[in-house]
Each structure stands twice: as structure tokens, then as C-alpha cells.
Amino acid sequence: MFTISRAMEQLSCGESFYIVLGDFLDEFYRVESITRNAMLADAPSAAAVVSREHAALFAAAAHKLANDYRLPVPEWVMNSKYRLTDEPYFDCNATGNLRLLFMYKSPTEFKYRNLFVDENFLVRV
């Protein structure tokens, strides 16, 4: 099973953030509800060395997915280490009007962590 913890370990091994997130989302959307809960539940390993932004993005994703699928929100996602307090993060290195759009459209679970992304950040096609 591909958990958030495992995804962050892969990221710390040099995998691309968007590839790892996409692989995780593909499996999450494919499996049954009980498995989805288990995929989000495990806190990332302290050994997984990833950027603060990527760690916060995974926490926000887990939080949003839990809310969207009416699963229990894992306790680990509320840890302050998964919240950016100094500078906001804008996906795609957004500037100008795109920043404004992301500030408006970003899901609450991301805004809470000072992350600004497109409203479709977790959508797969």
C-alpha cells in the first residue's frame, strides 16, 4: 500500500514531487475507503528529508482528501511543522494575477498552511 509516509520517503530519495504525488493520488482514488484511511493515517517518518514546502503540501493533501472522503483527519497533519509561517508558497512559482487566483481558489486545507495552489491541485485525469 502506498501511504503518505512512503510517498515522502520516495521524495527524500530524489523522486520528483509531482510524480510521487501523482502516483499516490492514482492509488488513493483507485482503492476502497478503508484502505484510503490507512493510506493517510501514518505520520511521515522523521528520516524522510524533504523540503518544508513539500512536507506541508503532503499534509494539506492528506487533510483535504480526508475531508473530501469523510475520513478521520489524521492527527499528524495538524502538527505545526507542516505549516509555513515565514513565507507563503505559491505553486508553479506563480506571480501577478496567478497569485491572486491561487489565493482565492486554494482549498482551505492548503490556505491554513500558507500554501496557495490551484483548486484542482489533487485532480487526476
Side-chain angles (χ1 to χ4, degrees):
M1 173 176 29
F2 197 26
T3 64
I4 287 274
S5 179
R6 184 169 155 218
M8 288 183 63
E9 286 172 12
Q10 281 189 352
L11 189 60
S12 71
C13 292
E15 294 285 334
S16 164
F17 172 77
Y18 292 103
I19 298 287
V20 172
L21 179 63
D23 289 347
F24 174 81
L25 291 172
D26 287 344
E27 184 164 335
F28 184 86
Y29 294 138
R30 185 176 47 244
V31 299
E32 295 182 20
S33 184
I34 194 155
T35 304
R36 287 181 180 142
N37 186 44
M39 290 175 71
L40 303 176
D42 287 339
S45 165
V49 179
V50 299
S51 72
R52 291 192 66 225
E53 291 84 3
H54 288 160
L57 285 164
F58 270 113
H63 193 175
K64 174 97 173 93
L65 291 167
N67 285 341
D68 287 353
Y69 286 85
R70 296 187 176 129
L71 301 169
V73 175
E75 287 184 35
W76 68 267
V77 303
M78 302 310 287
N79 188 312
S80 62
K81 72 181 178 180
Y82 299 114
R83 189 165 185 265
L84 304 181
T85 56
D86 44 356
E87 292 288 321
Y89 170 85
F90 288 90
D91 195 35
C92 305
N93 294 318
T95 59
N97 288 339
L98 186 56
R99 275 189 176 213
L100 294 174
L101 181 68
F102 283 0
M103 289 172 74
Y104 177 71
K105 297 271 187 170
S106 190
T108 303
E109 297 87 353
F110 288 82
K111 288 180 185 177
Y112 171 77
R113 292 169 178 81
N114 213 14
L115 303 166
F116 299 94
V117 299
D118 183 65
E119 65 188 324
N120 297 319
F121 187 75
L122 300 177
V123 172
R124 300 291 288 165
V125 290

